[in-house]
Amino acid sequence: MNRFCVDMKSVPAELHDGLVEIQNSKVIVLDINGASGVTLAFKPGSAGIDIKGRGGAVEIGYNEVNDAFRGLGLVNAAANPGELDITEQRSVDKTWIMLDASRNRVYTVAAMREWLHFMALSGINGFMLYTEETYEVPGEPLIGYMRGRYTQAELKELDDIAFSLGIEMIPCIQTLAHLQRMLRYEAYSNVKDTSSVMLCDEPATYDLIEKMIDAAVAPYRSKRVHLGMDEAWDLGRGHLLDKTGAYQAPFDVITRHLDKVLDITRSRGLEPMIWGDMFFRALAGTHNYYATDVEITPELKDKVPQDVQLIYWDYYHTTRDVYDAMIEKNRQLSGQPVVVAPGIWTWNRFWAAYDFTEKTILPCLESCADNNVRDLILTMWGDDSSECDYYSALPMAQYISDIIFGNKPDYELSSRNLIGSLGVDFASWRRAGMLDKYENFGGEFQPNISKALLWEHPVLGLYQPELQGEKLGPHFAALRDDLEEARKVPGNERLEMPYLLADLLELKADFPTVLREAYLNDDREALSEIVDITVSDLIFRLSRFRDCHRSDWFKYCKPFGWEVIENRYGSQMLALDTLQVRLRQYLSGEVDSLPELAEERVRIFQGDKSEVKGISSAFQPWTTSYVSHITL
């Protein structure tokens, strides 16, 4: 039976395509033929959202198209839609989601369609797929090669869907750094400064960038374009230095480069934005992006083109003083309104970090409100191969959107609204975030302990000393038990993966220490149990978790990129196989010692339990040995 109905003949024309699209949403039952259900009417001209429910009918007043669909989400969340009186108004003009599609996980168009449905029903009106080079550039077959790049037809289809729902979709690319996957090919050696940075001042570079920009903007209606240009750490220190024979200040190099790139966008009537960190790193001298004492002089401002928006990104600060200062510094440097980009923490982990996201987002939103920021980008990064299912971040996107619409931070309110926009249980999804939240590690930052313990070598145990004697198996067992029933609730199917990871880590988290202690105590009974029972159980749980991870990946994502993650699973399997061989050799007397278990374990990081760190590209708890990286 339909819950809602609408008479399309009475609906404003600007909502027609969106209502046809939203009836495909999995969370709302809508009859657009007006046959049965609570009758919906839409009335343009409100200052924001104005919902009135009376008896069997609901009127949704709205300002912009996206407001109408957030209104629909709020009505869908209500237990009794016939008794509603809700008034809301945005505190920023544009709330963007920026989704990383460059670090192996590239969602299919079908998955992104569901994503756009959620955005519409939650009131998020801007979207960009971060595509370093995972988009089609005609005539450049190596750009995005075997990386699951989006075709122009796919991006146009997504833009059409987004537009119908009142969501502005724009290209988000890189035109300076973060291009190592393209620059590794010999075909681009003539535009390469360092392994990840393009060669500035080289005509061929700008010929290529022109092709990239033209290809990137072609599928979209919007004239806005995000050109990237962040984290060019070694700018001008490679082939440019060899070519000129003299070191050049990064600030001068990037401003020259930016002006040449802007010549391209100016000629096409585009409205560009870039990450602003490289200007501040260069000015600080220490490469500290958040050096709030940097002085912005008129001479410096004159060097920065004033027809580009600067984006101030900050995923780390938990007090608003830095946000206030950096917004003002960006405003002084740019002639355009400042864009602020906080993060919903999806990177370097398997599930979004709700607690740390909240700690950083709330002061950021307060600062944005008081400093009249009009554009906010909610970034969702995929560092280290996008193991995380980005959908785990959507409850936090709902929470943030509710605040932007004038509500106080309130998990109970957002839990109700999330039922109307995504159809999942906020508390259970937030509970899954405890994969990386252990009570005795009391630091402010949320380390990715589940990732560290999953990929830790089961014999070498390089991460074990960082736990400082803590046994985490019981923590993961309790989390698994909490998710046991929650994962079975309709809409919560994605909780299967954190449930299985918790089940695996109940056994694996402490395994390297348990194994080594048994060896050092020459407890042959324990070692026999490990080789005959425990290792087999580990392989079973690891295989089951891998199967779930793989199934989700191929259900929602393009296949490319999975090969990196399956190599990690394969390494774990092979290490456990080798362990069984080595233990049997030791127990049979074939070898008289196991040096890999005998060597003393030492800490790699410093600090007490409040400063426990996770892992990143700087430290992987797999091996300290040299690893050759094969690029082709």
Side-chain angles (χ1 to χ4, degrees):
M1 179 177 177
N2 297 309
R3 189 178 188 207
F4 302 107
C5 68
V6 61
D7 181 1
M8 293 292 279
K9 293 191 295 293
S10 64
V11 169
E14 62 186 351
L15 300 182
H16 278 209
D17 289 347
L19 287 169
V20 171
E21 175 61 39
I22 209 69
Q23 70 173 337
N24 296 309
S25 169
K26 293 181 177 180
V27 299
I28 192 164
V29 182
L30 174 66
D31 176 12
I32 62 172
N33 297 313
S36 64
V38 174
T39 301
L40 301 177
F42 295 89
K43 182 180 178 181
S46 296
I49 298 172
D50 187 7
I51 302 173
K52 296 290 188 293
R54 298 292 182 267
V58 178
E59 181 180 84
I60 301 175
Y62 68 95
N63 177 23
E64 60 176 85
V65 168
N66 187 252
D67 290 341
F69 290 102
R70 174 173 168 91
L72 182 56
L74 296 176
V75 172
N76 192 40
N80 188 353
E83 298 180 6
L84 286 179
D85 192 348
I86 301 174
T87 302
E88 293 184 336
Q89 192 169 350
R90 299 175 190 270
S91 60
V92 298
D93 297 331
K94 190 71 69 174
T95 305
W96 305 86
I97 281 180
M98 189 230 73
L99 181 64
D100 192 342
S102 292
R103 293 180 171 88
N104 295 1
R105 182 185 290 267
V106 179
Y107 282 114
T108 63
V109 170
M112 286 293 89
R113 189 177 193 178
E114 290 184 27
W115 188 282
L116 290 167
H117 293 169
F118 160 78
M119 289 179 59
L121 295 171
S122 63
I124 297 170
N125 59 354
F127 185 45
M128 55 185 87
L129 287 164
Y130 174 73
T131 50
E132 291 172 353
E133 38 62 85
T134 46
Y135 60 100
E136 180 185 10
V137 180
E140 300 293 337
L142 289 176
I143 291 182
Y145 175 60
M146 291 289 184
R147 296 253 292 132
R149 63 187 167 215
Y150 286 107
T151 66
Q152 292 199 355
E154 287 175 323
L155 293 173
K156 185 180 185 309
E157 181 179 355
L158 289 174
D159 186 61
D160 288 342
I161 296 168
F163 180 75
S164 75
L165 299 170
I167 299 168
E168 182 181 1
M169 193 168 175
I170 69 171
C172 180
I173 65 173
Q174 286 288 358
T175 55
L176 178 60
H178 283 291
L179 290 169
Q180 54 266 50
R181 291 154 196 83
M182 178 186 82
L183 294 175
R184 65 181 177 168
Y185 295 121
E186 184 180 2
Y188 299 111
S189 59
N190 63 327
V191 297
K192 177 179 178 179
D193 183 7
T194 66
S195 62
S196 64
V197 179
M198 299 188 84
L199 182 59
C200 296
D201 302 330
E202 168 60 43
T205 296
Y206 303 100
D207 291 341
L208 179 59
I209 289 175
E210 186 171 18
K211 291 179 69 173
M212 293 164 67
I213 290 174
D214 284 342
V217 303
Y220 300 100
R221 292 169 171 80
S222 178
K223 288 295 186 180
R224 295 210 210 191
V225 57
H226 189 327
L227 300 172
M229 297 198 190
D230 61 312
E231 296 185 330
W233 307 112
D234 44 4
L235 175 67
R237 298 182 184 182
H239 293 157
L240 182 63
L241 180 59
D242 295 338
K243 184 178 177 181
T244 62
Y247 173 77
Q248 300 178 62
F251 186 89
D252 295 334
V253 177
I254 194 171
T255 51
R256 287 200 312 269
H257 177 74
L258 174 58
D259 209 35
K260 290 183 175 70
V261 174
L262 292 184
D263 281 341
I264 299 169
T265 60
R266 289 168 187 143
S267 67
R268 288 154 174 78
L270 301 174
E271 302 169 19
M273 61 175 76
I274 64 168
W275 306 111
D277 59 300
M278 286 307 298
F279 291 116
F280 289 91
R281 294 182 196 279
L283 292 174
T286 60
H287 289 283
N288 177 13
Y289 180 18
Y290 307 108
T292 57
D293 58 348
V294 167
E295 183 181 1
I296 307 298
T297 65
E299 291 77 18
L300 285 174
K301 183 170 182 175
D302 286 345
K303 292 183 178 181
V304 178
Q306 298 295 291
D307 55 346
V308 59
Q309 280 189 292
L310 295 186
I311 305 168
Y312 157 50
W313 57 266
D314 193 334
Y315 320 133
Y316 309 103
H317 292 101
T318 57
T319 57
R320 61 170 289 178
D321 53 336
V322 177
Y323 295 103
D324 289 338
M326 289 300 295
I327 289 171
E328 178 57 27
K329 293 295 180 184
N330 276 268
R331 190 167 278 151
Q332 291 173 14
L333 192 60
S334 172
Q336 299 292 317
V338 178
V339 182
V340 177
I344 300 180
W345 275 75
T346 53
W347 53 101
N348 269 318
R349 59 192 70 240
F350 281 87
W351 198 259
Y354 284 45
D355 286 3
F356 192 65
T357 295
E358 183 179 22
K359 286 179 181 178
T360 55
I361 283 284
L362 291 183
C364 177
L365 293 179
E366 290 175 6
S367 181
C368 287
D370 289 346
N371 287 286
N372 196 32
V373 171
R374 309 312 305 168
D375 282 86
L376 189 76
I377 301 176
L378 307 178
T379 63
M380 300 176 188
W381 295 104
D383 298 39
D384 201 24
S385 301
S386 299
E387 292 157 328
C388 182
D389 182 357
Y390 294 127
Y391 274 72
S392 66
L394 295 185
M396 286 306 294
Q398 177 74 57
Y399 178 72
I400 295 164
S401 185
D402 290 340
I403 297 171
I404 287 168
F405 273 90
N407 301 287
K408 293 181 179 179
D410 184 345
Y411 277 112
E412 186 175 337
L413 170 72
S414 293
S415 295
R416 291 197 303 270
N417 290 346
L418 190 66
I419 294 297
S421 63
L422 196 62
V424 305
D425 175 42
F426 202 133
S428 298
W429 284 46
R430 190 180 185 197
R431 177 63 177 145
M434 297 300 285
L435 283 167
D436 292 323
K437 187 72 174 177
Y438 178 61
E439 60 183 2
N440 291 348
F441 296 157
E444 185 173 64
F445 183 76
Q446 197 166 334
N448 52 0
I449 55 175
S450 63
K451 178 182 171 78
L453 293 168
L454 172 63
W455 299 133
E456 178 182 38
H457 194 287
V459 177
L460 301 181
L462 295 178
Y463 194 68
Q464 293 295 299
E466 310 308 323
L467 304 180
Q468 301 172 62
E470 294 283 348
K471 295 292 192 291
L472 270 69
H475 164 78
F476 290 110
L479 176 57
R480 175 200 58 203
D481 294 345
D482 286 347
L483 297 177
E484 170 75 39
E485 295 304 318
R487 69 194 170 105
K488 300 174 185 177
V489 175
N492 280 352
E493 292 82 5
R494 279 181 143 97
L495 292 178
E496 184 72 11
M497 189 168 158
Y499 164 78
L500 290 176
L501 180 54
D503 180 61
L504 168 59
L505 292 179
E506 181 223 359
L507 185 58
K508 189 176 188 297
D510 306 318
F511 176 75
T513 294
V514 171
L515 170 65
R516 185 166 182 270
E517 287 175 351
Y519 173 77
L520 293 178
N521 294 329
D522 198 26
D523 187 340
R524 291 177 175 261
E525 182 178 347
L527 290 174
S528 295
E529 183 175 337
I530 287 171
V531 73
D532 293 332
I533 300 174
T534 309
V535 172
S536 296
D537 194 4
L538 270 173
I539 291 173
F540 170 75
R541 297 191 197 193
L542 180 64
S543 298
R544 188 168 60 170
F545 175 60
R546 185 234 16 235
D547 291 348
C548 177
H549 195 180
R550 180 172 59 194
S551 176
D552 282 0
W553 187 287
F554 283 90
K555 182 177 181 180
Y556 302 114
C557 306
K558 297 188 178 188
F560 308 96
W562 174 255
E563 71 277 6
V564 174
I565 296 174
E566 72 179 1
N567 277 337
R568 295 173 184 172
Y569 286 114
S571 295
Q572 289 285 324
M573 297 290 190
L574 289 171
L576 290 168
D577 179 69
T578 298
L579 172 61
Q580 286 183 312
V581 171
R582 293 285 286 162
L583 284 178
R584 289 186 176 121
Q585 288 175 333
Y586 177 70
L587 291 170
S588 69
E590 184 179 345
V591 298
D592 58 8
S593 66
L594 298 174
E596 62 269 40
L597 292 177
E599 185 162 340
E600 182 181 358
R601 277 23 176 189
V602 298
R603 290 190 64 192
I604 293 174
F605 298 121
Q606 303 300 315
D608 59 23
K609 291 180 183 179
S610 70
E611 301 173 288
V612 169
K613 293 180 173 61
I615 63 171
S616 65
S617 57
F619 170 62
Q620 297 287 348
W622 175 254
T623 178
T624 60
S625 299
Y626 183 82
V627 178
S628 296
H629 294 282
I630 301 173
T631 58
L632 289 176

